[in-house]
Amino acid sequence: MKNLILHNLNKAKGQFLSFGVVMMITAVILNCALVLLFQTSAAYDSLFDELNTADISVAAPAALSGDALLHDIAALDGVLDTDVGEALFAQSTLQDFQNAAFTMNTYFYRLSVTRKLTRHTVAGQTETTDEMSVYIPLYLSELGGYRTGEQIRYVIDGTEYAFTVKGIVNEMQYGNYGTGFIGLFLTDEAYDRLRTDEAFTPVREYLIRTEAHADLASVKNTVVTLFKEKNISALSVLDRRTTKDSRTMVSNTIVLFLAAFATLVLLVSIALSRFRIRNTIAEEISEMGVLKGIGYTSRMLKYSQVLPYLLVCGASLACGVALSYVPVPVIAHTLAVQSGFSYTPVFDVPAALITVVSILVIVFVFTLQASGKIKKLEPVNAIRGTDPFRPA
């Protein structure tokens, strides 16, 4: 049977080569999608927890809220920990964002303030003597092309404000504009100069960590009700779940597209493989009749058609999984930047196993089904060239 398999492989080298290339491409696309699906969400959650990001955050004008409100929030059921921070709010129009003006709701924070909840880290810091310096999210740096040492300009209430980018800040609350708000961090000098500017509204941001088994939506509704009872209009109300969904929406959509495209390529390839096997059986009726007449069983003939596809498919899938780790870091960085953070993907064993095993099983089932009617082949009729699928 080994010789028969090798014979079938050598006889149709071109067909198996094209099949292998398609399987390799399928593996590259599918494994990329699975790695991104498994690791992007996990990396987001890991960084979210590492920075001790609040599960719920509510921002309100400072003039309407006071210190007593924090005590009331802390007393609510399901609340484990609380913190409060200050910021300046403005609806600002960012200039030259991808060669256009982009209006966004912006919170300006003081970088030097150490928060218990929703912390941040700084990277790529540069020295500058400009008092109006700012630390921007990775989202603006990568998508907007604003580099450290360069200026970033905003128009707020008809006045232009220019800041020198001093560094890149990484945080998991307002790190991209998916939530409808974005956060910038100012030096003490810049923050103090803007604090007295009437174009900026001072706000208090109430940060809430919920208990492990508390219902996030229920706690959020209770907090919103508390604000309404106190006649406080919130500027923004965010929770962990909706923030993640909004920030990773683009990346999740692209991952699903990659998975769907890989599935389509696989189905087309399987359909071609079935067609080739059926054609092979039809074209080699006489040869199969002779082989069956000299002792080859239907099972041996059937698997001599199926196993070459599995061997080529297995080798191609292994190469495809390995090659997928060339584009994966690039795609992961692009998608993560859309979500406002960055991570480096690593080799993913479950993704590789799912890619290889699922495709091999699908190829095996469909090729086995395509060659199944070899069992009905009668040696005498086959040698005469009659239809092997018609009962004798």
Side-chain angles (χ1 to χ4, degrees), residues 220-347:
K220 178 182 174 181
N221 289 336
T222 303
V223 172
V224 171
T225 300
L226 176 64
F227 273 68
K228 289 181 179 179
E229 290 174 350
K230 294 183 175 294
N231 295 318
I232 300 174
S233 298
L235 291 172
S236 62
V237 181
L238 300 178
D239 67 80
R240 177 176 188 151
R241 190 176 299 116
T242 56
T243 298
K244 180 180 179 180
D245 290 344
S246 61
R247 289 181 62 161
T248 59
M249 180 176 60
V250 173
S251 62
N252 289 340
T253 301
I254 294 177
V255 167
L256 291 176
F257 172 79
L258 289 174
F261 183 68
T263 302
L264 178 62
V265 173
L266 175 62
L267 292 177
V268 171
S269 179
I270 293 300
L272 291 175
S273 300
R274 290 184 64 195
F275 177 76
R276 287 170 179 169
I277 290 177
R278 289 178 181 274
N279 271 1
T280 299
I281 295 171
E283 292 171 359
E284 300 178 0
I285 293 174
S286 297
E287 183 180 336
M288 289 185 180
V290 172
L291 290 172
K292 200 165 186 179
I294 63 176
Y296 282 92
T297 65
S298 296
R299 183 184 180 88
M300 294 170 68
L301 291 175
K302 182 166 60 177
Y303 279 102
S304 72
Q305 295 292 327
V306 173
L307 289 179
Y309 282 94
L310 293 182
L311 292 173
V312 172
C313 183
S316 300
L317 293 177
C319 293
V321 168
L323 288 174
S324 69
Y325 285 92
V326 175
V328 155
V330 178
I331 300 173
H333 176 74
T334 302
L335 297 185
V337 166
Q338 290 279 352
S339 303
F341 76 108
S342 183
Y343 78 100
T344 301
V346 296
F347 182 79

Side-chain angles (χ1 to χ4, degrees), residues 134-279:
V134 66
Y135 294 78
I136 63 174
L138 185 68
Y139 176 82
L140 292 183
S141 174
E142 293 289 338
L143 294 184
Y146 304 103
R147 300 291 180 254
T148 54
E150 299 178 351
Q151 282 201 333
I152 183 170
R153 297 179 301 111
Y154 286 90
V155 173
I156 301 171
D157 198 22
T159 302
E160 181 173 292
Y161 297 81
F163 303 91
T164 298
V165 178
K166 192 172 183 178
I168 309 301
V169 70
N170 196 19
E171 64 85 46
M172 299 303 291
Q173 184 166 269
Y174 298 117
N176 86 336
Y177 200 60
T179 60
F181 294 83
I182 199 162
L184 304 180
F185 289 76
L186 302 173
T187 58
D188 289 342
E189 295 85 353
Y191 190 90
D192 289 337
R193 287 180 61 177
L194 296 183
R195 187 169 55 176
T196 58
D197 193 324
E198 293 183 356
F200 297 83
T201 302
V203 300
R204 282 194 179 93
E205 187 175 39
Y206 296 89
L207 307 172
I208 303 164
R209 170 72 79 178
T210 61
E211 295 176 351
H213 301 293
D215 182 74
L216 183 62
S218 178
V219 176
K220 178 182 174 181
N221 289 336
T222 303
V223 172
V224 171
T225 300
L226 176 64
F227 273 68
K228 289 181 179 179
E229 290 174 350
K230 294 183 175 294
N231 295 318
I232 300 174
S233 298
L235 291 172
S236 62
V237 181
L238 300 178
D239 67 80
R240 177 176 188 151
R241 190 176 299 116
T242 56
T243 298
K244 180 180 179 180
D245 290 344
S246 61
R247 289 181 62 161
T248 59
M249 180 176 60
V250 173
S251 62
N252 289 340
T253 301
I254 294 177
V255 167
L256 291 176
F257 172 79
L258 289 174
F261 183 68
T263 302
L264 178 62
V265 173
L266 175 62
L267 292 177
V268 171
S269 179
I270 293 300
L272 291 175
S273 300
R274 290 184 64 195
F275 177 76
R276 287 170 179 169
I277 290 177
R278 289 178 181 274
N279 271 1

